[in-house]
Amino acid sequence: MAEGRETTDAVAERPVELAYRPSVGDLASALRARARSTGAGRFQRRALVWTVAVAAVGALLSAAGSGRRDTPWPLYAGLVVFAVFMTAVPWLQARQLHRLAERQGDIRGTVDDTGIRLTTAHSSATLDWHLYPRYSETPELFVLLSADKSAVGVVVLPKRAVADPEDVDRLRAVLDGRLVRADAVEGPGGPQSRGRAVGRGVSSVGLLLLGLLLFFFAFAAVQHAAHPDRFPGIQNNTAPISAVMLVLGTLAVAGAWWLVRRMTAMRIVTAVLAVLVLLAGGAALYRVGPMLHCWGSDRIARGPDGAYACYDF
């Protein structure tokens, strides 16, 4: 019995061995994982999202407005190119890092409770755990992050590097025993976690109210054209503006759902409110829809048969 326990302990303490050559995809995935786990990376992602959102709204409003012939399309095209470039930055950085990694050749390593030892054809290194106190996991990688706020130092351990699939679980167990998960610094019941949950709930309700307000404006924007008995004559074509508001309102509702998609109670409440808000949007779309064939016209008028005629002056 004692001999059996010693054998089991020896297997449990056996180092996890790795052999691999980093690919561009590995390095790009590691850089994206670092961005998700650091404040600077999250800020950059939010800034990119807001840049794209503002550019899209500006383009839609310019295309729908009376001055659409003077729309600064080169500016919007430049913003799109900027967004694409920023999205591709991790891949471009990974290409640069891969050139250096290629010179090192194949990497062999061992991971145990004492640290990580990596060896290549031209170098060897031993990394203590205190240098990399946290890590992030992706479907293909374990990404170790250095202690500084920006996580300048990164160690990439591909899951394919182990010979036995069971060694992936052993490697994860070693990392969990020595490091902290970057996406689980605080448990789900902690104060910050509860604060984030409350913030998401409030933001979700705010987006739903914004969506309802946009749908109301979309409905009101075509009030004159929809009632020729009360407002006779040719009217300004506000249907494109109304359509843009409908799109933005729908995006607001979608954003409200996305914020609480992992919160069971708020997800149910948001779903009920979203249905009510979308019904208001459907009513606005019912009014705006017949006018949309006049998108490129400056003026619009409703005939006795209910159809809309388009005019350009």
Side-chain angles (χ1 to χ4, degrees):
M1 292 291 293
E3 182 179 353
R5 283 195 301 271
E6 290 176 0
T7 302
T8 303
D9 293 341
V11 172
E13 295 176 0
R14 177 167 50 88
V16 179
E17 297 184 356
L18 306 97
Y20 62 98
R21 174 172 290 195
S23 66
V24 175
D26 292 336
L27 298 173
S29 181
L31 292 173
R32 286 192 290 268
R34 180 179 68 174
R36 290 192 298 268
S37 303
T38 60
R42 289 190 291 268
F43 174 80
Q44 183 178 5
R45 292 177 65 192
R46 293 191 190 104
L48 178 60
V49 169
W50 280 108
T51 299
V52 173
V54 169
V57 171
L60 287 172
L61 292 175
S62 296
S66 59
R68 51 186 172 274
R69 295 182 181 82
D70 300 323
T71 299
W73 292 115
L75 172 61
Y76 297 131
L79 289 174
V80 171
V81 171
F82 169 76
V84 171
F85 172 76
M86 293 301 296
T87 304
V89 162
W91 184 82
L92 296 173
Q93 291 176 330
R95 293 274 300 176
Q96 295 290 333
L97 293 173
H98 186 254
R99 292 175 185 171
L100 176 61
E102 276 289 296
R103 297 176 185 172
Q104 299 293 326
D106 293 336
I107 298 176
R108 303 188 67 85
T110 58
V111 180
D112 57 24
D113 286 341
T114 63
I116 303 173
R117 287 165 291 282
L118 301 175
T119 303
T120 71
H122 307 288
S123 64
S124 61
T126 300
L127 308 175
D128 293 334
W129 291 120
H130 74 275
L131 296 175
Y132 298 89
R134 51 195 170 134
Y135 83 97
S136 180
E137 182 177 0
T138 75
E140 302 85 15
L141 309 170
F142 293 105
V143 184
L144 279 61
L145 306 172
S146 59
D148 56 288
K149 288 178 111 177
S150 300
V152 174
V154 175
V155 176
V156 182
L157 303 177
K159 295 180 181 179
R160 69 173 189 280
V162 299
D164 188 342
E166 293 182 357
D167 285 344
V168 174
D169 295 329
R170 292 181 56 233
L171 179 55
R172 184 184 296 108
V174 173
L175 297 178
D176 285 336
R178 292 292 179 175
L179 308 180
V180 175
R181 280 183 176 265
D183 55 356
V185 175
E186 183 180 358
Q192 291 185 7
S193 178
R194 289 194 297 269
R196 285 193 294 269
V198 172
R200 284 176 176 269
V202 171
S203 299
S204 177
V205 173
L207 284 174
L208 287 174
L209 292 176
L210 175 61
L212 182 61
L213 186 64
L214 288 168
F215 289 152
F216 172 77
F217 285 150
F219 190 86
V222 292
Q223 182 75 7
H224 286 197
H227 295 283
D229 53 334
R230 283 183 278 172
F231 307 99
I234 299 175
Q235 307 291 337
N236 290 327
N237 183 15
T238 55
I241 293 290
S242 184
V244 170
M245 291 181 181
L246 285 172
V247 172
L248 296 178
T250 303
L251 291 176
V253 174
W257 169 261
W258 184 84
L259 283 174
V260 297
R261 68 193 185 283
R262 297 178 183 173
M263 301 165 60
T264 304
M266 280 301 301
R267 187 171 57 198
I268 296 173
V269 173
T270 300
V272 173
L273 294 176
V275 169
L276 297 176
V277 173
L278 289 175
L279 287 175
L285 180 61
Y286 177 78
R287 171 172 287 186
V288 176
M291 308 178 190
L292 292 180
H293 70 282
C294 294
W295 184 282
S297 301
D298 294 326
R299 301 288 189 274
I300 192 172
R302 185 178 181 181
D305 58 351
Y308 287 90
C310 312
Y311 298 92
D312 287 302
F313 296 103

